[in-house]
Amino acid sequence: MLKEINYQIDSLVAKLRRRQIVGSYNVAIATSRLLRNVVAASRCNDVEQLSALVKEVGSRLEGAQPIELAVGNMVKRVLHLIKEEHNVETEASDAAETAETTSESDDFGERRRNFVADVKQSIEEMIDELENTSTNISNQAWEHIHSKEIILTVGRSKTVEHFLKVAAQVREFQVIVAETAPSYQGHEMALALSSAGIDTTVITDTAIFAVMSRVNKVILGAHAVTANGGVVAVCGSQLVAAAAKEYSTPIVVCTGLHKLSPSYPYDTDIFNLCINPDAVYSFEAGDIIDSVDIVNPHFDYVGPEDVSLFITNVGTHPPSFVQRLIYDTYIVDEE
Amino acid sequence: MAPRSEQEEVLQAVVIADSFNERFKPLTANRPRCLLPLLNVPLIEYTLEFLATSGVEEVFVVCCAHSEAIKDYIKKSRWQNSILPRVKIVVSQELLSVGDALREIDSKQLLQSDFVLVSGDVVSNVDLSSTIQEHRRRRKETDKDAIMTMVLRQASVNHRSRARGEESVFMLDGSTNECIHWESMTPFPPKGFASLDTERIGNRKEIAVFNDLIDCQIDICSVDVPALFTENFDWQELRRDFLKGVLESELLGKTIYCHLLKSHYAARVATPHMYDAVSKDVLARWSYPMVPESNMLVDHTYKYSRPHIYKENGVKLAITADLEENVAIGKDTIVGDNSRILNSVIGRNCRIGARVVIQDAYIWDGTIIEDDCIISKCIIDCNVHIKAKVKVESGSLIAQKVVIGPDITIARNSKIYGDEDGRPLQIEESEDSDDEEVDARNVALGFIGEEWTFDSDVECDVNSESDESDASDAGETEDENDWKREAEATLERAFNEGHSIDIAALELNTLKMAMNISFHDLRKISIPSILKLIDLSKIPQSLDQVLKRWGKLLLKFSHNEEDQIDCLRILEDFCVIHENYVKFVSRILHGLYDLDVLSEDAIIKWHQSLKSAPEPKSKIREAAQALVQWLQEAEEEDDDEDDEDED
């Protein structure tokens, strides 16, 4: 591998480990750009070699920050693309073989070189798709949000923010944002929404249950969507989901395809992340932290039974359909 | 090479990989401190990772003792070929202090511009880049003489992550965070006050005094700093010599600033006690993302589960083994039946037997602990063999390859190393093992098993506005007459110079700290002094005047009813000696009552206690009778008329 590429891989690995790149969208973009460069610079030109190379780079990246499931998703997506290109290739050459009598013997090597270029091309298309994820999701907004509705959301999801803003262009509705302690992302979210002219109310997390009876729809963002249709989302989502279930309020999750992960949550804690407890209890209060364990989980797991609908950049799907989407988009390890 | 413009400056860092003391002896007998494992990762990894997070591009690791070990380690580690940062090793055999190391750096001319100076045992997750920019901006725009920015973490006085025995007080300009004074505040010998030269205040409007900072010695220095060390060849330490030297010297005209961290984690493993504290902080994830499961070393495979349990692949736990909380366990370690482990770190390839209890202990790779041992609050080095039924009490350090037991008890704070056959030997503490300047008792506070909390009185006094603390004239002798004289002199000065009550109280408090006397003593001094001010020929004007001016001083020394009764007893004793005051007792009491110095309950109680007192005291009782009666009556009614006697 080229030194330059190796350097790029190392620096992305370091950034992931140090959590200088966070958030599934940023991670997905960074990973796919890196994989594009890896593919473009690779000298190998048959399917196995290229797949092996991508897998190897992928495992290094995944090892750096297992919680960022988007890394693995992008790697599997690229592997899928490689296989598809190969299929197209072989079909084409089969076709060429059948029509051999008419065509002059096509230059085999030339075609191989095209293969790498084709893969690179399709990765670039994938990056384009990634960049348009938010827009594609938001385009469906007016189908889901109706006038005079009351929407509840937690945390600050870029996707949800964009979704609501687009909806606000055609509909008039009210948004309630739970403040999402201890990160208080809800405050930022509320500010962003109200500056776009949406009627926004911030409530404390404890008031979620109290207001739920008035809410028409809950819209959540996601950190990742697991293979069973469960959602890993900002801490506090499970609370919202439980309240919504009590009142039979539908929960809609806005997510890009890049968040769909083939991993299965065998334990609800497995995709969680405990971050610095500073936000929960200040480090300065020295005597307390000596005797009390303070935990600050970053995510919550919401099971598929609580989710009503996924709005993705390729359409809306029920949780049970996630399996199918994963099968269509990824190569899941056979072993 | 053409001079590079400001933006392209390579950010450099200097890591001092030598501790220049022996606090971790015997663990550091054959390896440097920066290679001691903290949660099974060598300390220097944390430091280098921290620098890399801050965007440092070039790191110089200065080493002296065990330089070969450090070189070997870096060569085999992931830093060998890393580009960001590039790690270079500077070896010199003749370094005795941080000062020497910086002189060495200066003589080699390795540094081009502002750099980060840390020691090789810092654990931090701070991203310094914004602080570095602030430092550069300050040098360019507001103060070109700013040669250093110290990065300090705010904590509390008794915080476990503050190095015991190395406390210090920082005084900063409230608006710019310029450091104007630094003073070491080691608990032994007890000092209790910090004094600031009034000249240094200049025209500053606000001074912030901090007694609760974690100083982990992360400094952003300009290139002038090593040069200054070269000029002042006797400077050894960064704080004690350099910081003090620069602040106190008018000739140099250099300034030093502080950057106070309000979030993020920063601490330095300076003593075994700090090793314990930092390990616990990392286990509790305060240093996130620098936690075990981020697997800084390539072959590490830690996984996290609640409550703060970190396990590597290949850990074998008996089904009845109990990992309670805050535990990290390395690869291929086996834990036997019914063993309990909490708040501990265990290395790779260890074998823990059955029914073992491990608490607050740090056990490094390859150690074997047989059945029924009890291990608490200690550090056990690699490949130690502890046989059955050994009890290790808190505070012990056990060096490599020692074989201990069976069936013995290791006493508190033992330091054990092995002879060639692994038979245990004790290190006797020699008084002069450390730096002569450091009090051995302060060193002892760094022991891992040491329990210590501050007398919280120290803090509040130093924190009050001390722009006038010329209490340096307080002598050092503990003689009783001495403090009496001193206190009387202080009061007299206050009376003559017309100080405010706050200042007088502050001075007396400072004196109390310095002389180790109690509030009772202060009361015993100040009550007679105040009473003597009264001109008996001009009663009642003089009495009212004096009490109005100085009575409130007593409020500073009496905080509850007991104290007030104590005041009354002192007053009583005073009147016994000075009989001419007896007839004014009622008036004095009334005056003090009006000032809230004495409560009615206290007066009544005191009065009752005098019931059967003999001759001179019964007179006092009679004199106070009228007032007490009035008080008892007033209790039922509203005490609206309290003020009728004032003027």
Side-chain angles (χ1 to χ4, degrees):
Chain A
M1 226 181 300
L2 286 173
K3 209 174 165 190
E4 168 61 23
I5 292 291
N6 233 334
Y7 170 67
Q8 284 181 13
I9 297 171
D10 280 344
S11 95
L12 183 59
V13 164
K15 277 184 185 156
L16 284 172
R17 180 182 305 112
R18 289 169 198 147
R19 294 196 59 80
Q20 288 168 329
I21 295 187
V22 288
S24 42
Y25 174 74
N26 300 335
V27 169
I29 288 277
T31 311
S32 35
R33 286 198 180 131
L34 176 71
L35 290 176
R36 178 194 60 198
N37 295 352
V38 169
V39 167
S42 73
R43 303 230 175 77
C44 46
N45 45 17
D46 76 274
V47 195
E48 277 77 35
Q49 269 184 16
L50 195 62
S51 303
L53 177 72
V54 170
K55 267 186 195 162
E56 192 245 308
V57 174
S59 71
R60 276 170 69 185
L61 295 175
E62 281 172 70
Q65 194 56 264
I67 192 69
E68 292 293 356
L69 295 166
V71 177
N73 301 345
M74 287 347 277
V75 172
K76 293 187 182 86
R77 195 82 187 265
V78 168
L79 288 173
H80 183 73
L81 292 176
I82 293 171
K83 199 172 173 193
E84 265 189 348
E85 284 302 327
H86 174 67
N87 290 345
V88 171
E89 202 83 1
T90 35
E91 266 167 37
S93 63
D94 284 350
E97 263 166 45
T98 51
E100 201 172 359
T101 42
T102 49
S103 70
E104 302 124 56
S105 62
D106 214 330
D107 190 357
F108 196 69
E110 174 102 0
R111 217 189 309 148
R112 281 301 182 194
R113 224 165 292 129
N114 285 344
F115 167 63
V116 172
D118 286 346
V119 172
K120 189 182 160 214
Q121 181 62 38
S122 48
I123 297 178
E124 255 155 24
E125 280 165 17
M126 181 182 87
I127 296 174
D128 280 348
E129 186 199 307
L130 264 179
E131 282 164 350
N132 290 321
T133 304
S134 223
T135 324
N136 286 337
I137 295 173
S138 306
N139 284 342
Q140 309 161 52
W142 59 272
E143 294 173 25
H144 295 278
I145 295 177
H146 309 293
S147 286
K148 306 284 180 214
E149 272 192 330
I150 299 178
I151 310 283
L152 185 137
T153 185
V154 285
R156 183 174 200 193
S157 158
K158 285 266 156 61
T159 320
V160 173
E161 184 189 328
H162 196 244
F163 187 82
L164 293 173
K165 279 182 181 166
V166 171
Q169 290 165 4
V170 284
R171 304 256 198 265
E172 194 180 312
F173 56 93
Q174 193 188 340
V175 180
I176 298 174
V177 186
E179 63 177 358
T180 328
S183 62
Y184 300 108
Q185 292 172 5
H187 293 180
E188 295 166 31
M189 181 73 158
L191 199 63
L193 292 179
S194 62
S195 60
I198 302 175
D199 178 3
T200 312
T201 313
V202 182
I203 58 167
T204 56
D205 295 335
T206 45
I208 289 173
F209 192 80
V211 300
M212 190 56 84
S213 59
R214 297 178 55 223
V215 172
N216 300 99
K217 201 169 278 165
V218 173
I219 299 187
L220 296 180
H223 170 70
V225 177
T226 54
N228 59 344
V231 179
V232 179
V234 64
C235 192
S237 303
Q238 175 56 35
L239 173 67
V240 171
K245 199 174 182 184
E246 179 70 22
Y247 287 103
S248 302
T249 312
I251 296 187
V252 176
V253 177
C254 294
T255 172
L257 267 195
H258 62 277
K259 295 182 184 178
L260 256 57
S261 162
S263 327
Y264 192 89
Y266 292 104
D267 170 2
T268 51
D269 243 6
I270 201 147
F271 296 126
N272 211 336
L273 176 70
C274 282
I275 56 169
N276 191 342
D278 220 7
V280 179
Y281 206 96
S282 169
F283 182 68
E284 287 156 39
D287 312 341
I288 301 288
I289 67 158
D290 223 6
S291 41
V292 179
D293 279 323
I294 302 154
V295 184
N296 184 9
H298 197 54
F299 297 125
D300 251 353
Y301 171 75
V302 180
E305 63 280 2
D306 294 337
V307 179
S308 318
L309 201 65
F310 284 104
I311 304 178
T312 71
N313 47 335
V314 292
T316 53
H317 309 285
S320 53
F321 196 72
V322 170
Q323 283 281 0
R324 179 74 214 179
L325 281 176
I326 286 168
Y327 183 78
D328 285 347
T329 22
Y330 299 132
I331 286 204
V332 182
D333 275 341
E334 290 84 13
E335 49 271 80
Chain B
M1 193 164 57
R4 304 170 65 146
S5 71
E6 198 79 28
Q7 277 70 32
E8 287 176 86
E9 266 174 7
V10 178
L11 181 57
Q12 296 172 309
V14 173
V15 176
I16 312 283
D18 202 315
S19 52
F20 307 112
N21 62 40
E22 294 183 321
R23 306 229 165 134
F24 277 89
K25 209 165 71 169
L27 305 175
T28 45
N30 47 14
R31 56 159 112 62
R33 183 193 292 180
C34 64
L35 294 186
L36 296 182
L38 182 89
L39 280 92
N40 302 328
V41 176
L43 273 173
I44 196 163
E45 286 285 336
Y46 291 90
T47 310
L48 292 175
E49 181 74 18
F50 150 62
L51 293 173
T53 309
S54 300
V56 171
E57 292 157 85
E58 194 169 28
V59 178
F60 297 102
V61 180
V62 186
C63 40
C64 167
H66 306 293
S67 57
E68 286 305 312
I70 298 173
K71 252 189 190 162
D72 277 357
Y73 179 80
I74 297 287
K75 205 175 272 175
K76 284 185 202 138
S77 75
R78 66 195 163 115
W79 304 104
Q80 170 65 10
N81 290 317
S82 76
I83 303 171
L84 269 179
R86 289 186 298 274
V87 177
K88 291 176 182 165
I89 296 189
V90 180
V91 179
S92 172
Q93 296 305 340
E94 286 144 18
L95 307 181
L96 294 172
S97 68
V98 179
D100 287 341
L102 285 170
R103 283 185 273 276
E104 178 78 21
I105 289 280
D106 189 42
S107 68
K108 291 203 166 138
Q109 293 292 321
L110 292 167
L111 301 167
Q112 301 157 357
S113 75
D114 298 340
F115 65 99
V116 182
L117 175 65
V118 293
S119 67
D121 48 13
V122 164
V123 178
S124 176
N125 60 357
V126 184
D127 186 347
L128 282 183
S129 28
S130 61
T131 319
I132 292 166
Q133 252 159 35
E134 189 188 308
H135 173 80
R136 286 185 171 156
R137 202 179 318 121
R138 185 182 296 132
R139 271 174 73 77
K140 241 174 41 197
E141 288 163 18
T142 54
D143 185 351
K144 63 179 177 9
D145 291 321
I147 52 168
M148 186 160 100
T149 303
M150 299 183 284
V151 180
L152 307 166
R153 173 70 168 102
Q154 286 194 302
S156 60
V157 179
N158 283 325
H159 203 285
R160 67 174 174 203
S161 304
R162 290 187 78 208
R164 304 280 190 270
E166 292 182 6
E167 292 85 354
S168 48
V169 164
F170 287 86
M171 297 192 192
L172 315 181
D173 183 316
S175 49
T176 61
N177 275 352
E178 184 189 342
C179 183
I180 54 174
H181 183 68
W182 175 90
E183 197 163 320
S184 166
M185 267 293 158
T186 48
F188 296 110
K191 192 154 65 164
F193 62 87
S195 42
L196 173 64
D197 188 351
T198 37
E199 277 178 29
R200 300 258 280 289
I201 297 171
N203 49 9
R204 285 175 227 280
K205 293 202 175 65
E206 194 185 335
I207 295 169
V209 184
F210 291 93
N211 185 30
D212 58 352
L213 298 175
I214 297 178
D215 179 11
C216 47
Q217 306 201 347
I218 299 171
D219 297 325
I220 299 160
C221 306
S222 72
V223 271
D224 307 340
V225 173
L228 274 174
F229 268 97
T230 309
E231 278 171 34
N232 298 276
F233 52 87
D234 57 335
W235 282 355
Q236 303 295 333
E237 283 177 49
L238 263 177
R239 296 287 182 263
R240 212 173 290 274
D241 300 316
F242 174 75
L243 179 59
K244 240 179 140 70
V246 169
L247 291 179
E248 279 168 14
S249 155
E250 304 207 329
L251 291 172
L252 287 171
K254 302 290 184 195
T255 52
I256 291 175
Y257 287 81
C258 288
H259 178 84
L260 300 178
L261 296 171
K262 290 222 163 59
S263 58
H264 290 99
Y265 184 76
R268 189 177 158 224
V269 184
T271 59
H273 172 269
M274 284 301 291
Y275 181 90
D276 177 48
V278 173
S279 296
K280 286 198 173 128
D281 289 341
V282 177
L283 281 173
R285 306 180 76 79
W286 293 101
S287 61
Y288 182 84
M290 251 181 250
V291 285
E293 92 266 17
S294 74
N295 294 322
M296 280 194 272
L297 295 186
V298 183
D299 63 334
H300 275 195
T301 54
Y302 281 96
K303 290 227 165 66
Y304 172 76
S305 58
R306 290 193 201 170
H308 298 329
I309 307 276
Y310 306 83
K311 279 182 298 198
E312 255 195 297
N313 291 345
V315 172
K316 290 197 187 88
L317 301 175
I319 203 147
T320 50
D322 185 9
L323 303 187
E324 291 197 356
E325 54 181 11
N326 300 330
V327 177
I329 298 191
K331 205 173 178 175
D332 297 331
T333 287
I334 302 170
V335 181
D337 287 319
N338 293 313
S339 289
R340 274 181 66 217
I341 304 177
L342 67 153
N343 301 334
S344 299
V345 177
I346 296 173
R348 290 179 157 190
N349 297 312
C350 292
R351 285 215 329 262
I352 315 286
R355 298 173 300 281
V356 175
V357 178
I358 299 176
Q359 194 170 353
D360 303 293
Y362 303 91
I363 296 167
W364 297 352
D365 296 355
T367 289
I368 298 171
I369 296 175
E370 292 186 5
D371 299 355
D372 301 302
C373 291
I374 298 174
I375 317 268
S376 46
K377 207 142 190 181
C378 61
I379 305 177
I380 299 177
D381 205 336
C382 303
N383 301 320
V384 173
H385 188 163
I386 297 185
K387 293 194 172 161
K389 293 188 179 159
V390 171
K391 189 169 180 218
V392 182
E393 291 189 344
S394 76
S396 302
L397 305 180
I398 300 176
Q400 281 184 17
K401 293 178 190 154
V402 183
V403 180
I404 295 178
D407 206 4
I408 56 167
T409 300
I410 307 279
R412 276 180 69 91
N413 295 336
S414 316
K415 298 186 171 183
I416 294 173
Y417 66 102
D419 60 9
E420 278 146 29
D421 304 326
R423 276 193 299 265
L425 298 172
Q426 278 252 23
I427 294 182
E428 298 302 329
E429 272 311 306
S430 55
E431 283 298 313
D432 51 13
S433 64
D434 217 280
D435 206 325
E436 300 91 25
E437 287 174 38
V438 183
D439 193 316
R441 288 175 296 177
N442 287 330
V443 177
L445 284 181
F447 287 173
I448 182 165
E450 208 59 40
E451 303 280 341
W452 167 265
T453 43
F454 266 103
D455 182 2
S456 55
D457 276 0
V458 176
E459 166 209 28
C460 45
D461 277 60
V462 176
N463 268 343
S464 47
E465 274 183 87
S466 55
D467 19 346
E468 253 288 350
S469 51
D470 49 354
S472 48
D473 48 3
E476 294 286 68
T477 40
E478 309 274 344
D479 192 337
E480 195 183 297
N481 290 327
D482 229 274
W483 66 257
K484 272 191 181 157
R485 248 203 325 276
E486 200 62 59
E488 273 160 8
T490 311
L491 274 169
E492 205 169 281
R493 206 168 48 238
F495 295 151
N496 293 342
E497 292 170 24
H499 289 181
S500 76
I501 285 189
D502 278 343
I503 294 210
L506 178 75
E507 289 200 350
L508 286 171
N509 261 330
T510 320
L511 196 70
K512 166 176 169 289
M513 297 300 155
M515 299 295 206
N516 199 16
I517 57 185
S518 65
F519 279 121
H520 167 76
D521 296 325
L522 283 184
R523 289 193 289 266
K524 216 164 143 188
I525 290 294
S526 45
I527 292 176
S529 308
I530 292 173
L531 292 179
K532 277 180 196 160
L533 283 179
I534 301 172
D535 185 351
L536 288 178
S537 59
K538 285 186 201 156
I539 295 278
Q541 294 87 351
S542 160
L543 187 141
D544 287 347
Q545 234 169 24
V546 168
L547 287 186
K548 206 172 167 196
R549 176 74 173 87
W550 293 107
K552 287 221 158 154
L553 183 63
L554 297 176
L555 263 184
K556 305 277 176 187
F557 309 134
S558 67
H559 306 100
N560 53 32
E561 210 179 85
E562 247 167 66
D563 291 354
Q564 293 178 0
I565 292 177
D566 185 54
C567 284
L568 287 162
R569 297 239 173 281
I570 295 166
L571 184 73
E572 178 191 315
D573 292 340
F574 177 79
C575 293
V576 170
I577 303 166
H578 305 268
E579 279 186 10
N580 44 352
Y581 278 84
V582 172
K583 50 188 160 190
F584 303 118
V585 162
S586 179
R587 212 165 238 297
I588 294 170
L589 289 180
H590 197 179
L592 290 174
Y593 171 77
D594 282 343
L595 289 171
D596 286 337
V597 175
L598 299 174
S599 70
E600 52 189 52
D601 287 351
I603 297 177
I604 292 169
K605 267 189 193 166
W606 163 79
H607 194 252
Q608 272 164 2
S609 74
L610 280 179
K611 243 178 192 164
S612 51
E615 219 326 78
K617 290 195 181 175
S618 61
K619 273 191 188 163
I620 299 171
R621 183 183 130 86
E622 276 164 36
Q625 185 68 41
L627 176 80
V628 172
Q629 240 164 32
W630 175 77
L631 278 176
Q632 273 164 341
E633 280 161 23
E635 216 167 354
E636 278 112 44
E637 301 160 18
D638 245 340
D639 23 351
D640 273 354
E641 292 155 19
D642 267 8
D643 300 358
E644 69 176 0
D645 256 25
E646 280 223 323
D647 291 344

